[in-house]
Amino acid sequence: MDSGSVNNGTRYGLLLLCAVLFPLALLAGFNFIIDPYQLLGAPAIDGVNAKKTVLFSKLGLTKPYAFYGSDHTSLILGSSRAGAAIDPAHPSLAADNFYNYATPGARPRQDIEKLRSAIATRAIHKVIYSVDFFTFNSFNSLPEDYAAEFSKRLSKHSSLWDSPVFLQQALRDYGTALWSYTALRDSIRTVRQQQEFNSSALTYATVFDNGLWVMHYTGQRKQSDVFTQMEQSYLQTNWF
């Protein structure tokens, strides 16, 4: 084989590699900038990604990693009611360095796993556990695959690097957030919906560094109407 053939083969291989890597780099860059799940730490840009319209359903993905990256030493546990209602920055709680670790649809099993994982990774001083009818409802439960993935995100070791299961799940989660079709779809949806409002649905969520989240509703919806609608939904499908 002469040197010309070798050079042509090398050139072809490099071109093929670039043809594969360039689209992957563009995909990762776009998903990183939009960061629809608030997982990658991208800054919020008004009109581009500030309104996280798909974030609420992904809080079980983002919150474990947000907690591990924080220095909080007290926990608030529970379902979405606690997540949106108990503010760690309130004057009565601020001195205890609380993180609002509540996640939508959480059951006692998930909350116990959160607590055990947190205790394994740091000293936990105080815990507030919010319970209601929804907490112990046997008619509504999290999907098995969701519960299994959530459990894998909760390391039981003092060092996250000592937990192979956690590391595998973290690689999967971050890889999915950067390179999956689902993340691309949610990124495009997030961009498109920055200026969209729907009078019959929740609009977007804001999650603070202390774990508290706020649901923002459209201007046409009154808070009392939202509360009534949600209570009717709970009564019809969740509690009984």
Side-chain angles (χ1 to χ4, degrees):
M1 181 180 295
D2 58 32
S3 60
S5 298
V6 174
N7 290 334
N8 288 336
T10 301
R11 188 179 299 111
Y12 175 79
L14 290 174
L15 288 174
L16 181 61
L17 183 63
C18 290
V20 172
L21 293 181
F22 183 67
L24 289 177
L26 285 179
L27 176 61
F30 178 69
N31 284 332
F32 178 83
I33 291 171
I34 305 305
D35 194 10
Y37 313 137
Q38 202 167 309
L39 177 66
L40 304 171
I45 305 172
D46 287 337
V48 177
N49 68 348
K51 297 176 180 177
K52 305 295 187 181
T53 56
V54 300
L55 178 57
F56 178 76
S57 63
K58 296 293 184 177
L59 288 174
L61 163 67
T62 60
K63 279 205 165 188
Y65 299 117
F67 172 73
Y68 290 133
S70 73
D71 62 354
H72 296 283
T73 54
S74 297
L75 298 179
I76 296 166
L77 301 174
S79 63
S80 58
R81 290 172 177 249
I86 305 178
D87 184 1
H90 189 276
S92 62
L93 302 178
D96 293 309
N97 198 21
F98 273 94
Y99 180 77
N100 190 323
Y101 212 161
T103 50
R107 292 292 184 270
R109 173 185 170 185
Q110 280 76 41
D111 286 320
I112 286 294
E113 289 183 332
K114 292 175 196 173
L115 179 58
R116 288 174 176 170
S117 174
I119 291 174
T121 57
R122 69 192 65 176
I124 299 298
H125 300 152
K126 294 184 179 181
V127 176
I128 296 175
Y129 189 23
S130 172
V131 297
D132 54 21
F133 286 114
F134 181 82
T135 306
F136 298 99
N137 175 25
S138 60
F139 298 99
N140 192 326
S141 60
L142 295 170
E144 284 298 321
D145 57 344
Y146 173 91
E149 286 190 353
F150 188 84
S151 179
K152 292 177 182 178
R153 295 183 185 115
L154 301 175
S155 174
K156 307 301 189 299
H157 299 268
S158 58
S159 173
L160 301 180
W161 296 102
D162 293 334
S163 178
V165 172
F166 170 81
L167 292 176
Q168 289 173 7
Q169 185 64 41
L171 288 173
R172 178 183 175 186
D173 288 334
Y174 280 89
T176 299
L178 287 171
W179 287 293
S180 71
Y181 166 78
T182 301
L184 175 62
R185 179 198 65 194
D186 289 340
S187 291
I188 293 173
R189 178 183 174 187
T190 298
V191 173
R192 286 179 174 176
Q193 292 183 334
Q194 292 301 294
Q195 304 302 328
E196 291 182 8
F197 294 91
N198 188 329
S199 60
S200 63
L202 303 179
T203 52
Y204 65 97
T206 297
V207 181
F208 300 100
D209 291 340
N210 60 19
L212 176 74
W213 75 76
V214 176
M215 298 302 298
H216 301 270
Y217 305 96
T218 60
Q220 294 86 357
R221 300 187 79 196
K222 294 181 180 180
Q223 186 71 30
S224 58
D225 294 337
V226 174
F227 177 81
T228 301
Q229 181 182 0
M230 293 182 69
E231 289 303 310
Q232 289 175 345
S233 175
Y234 277 129
L235 287 170
Q236 293 170 2
T237 63
N238 289 52
W239 288 352
F240 303 105

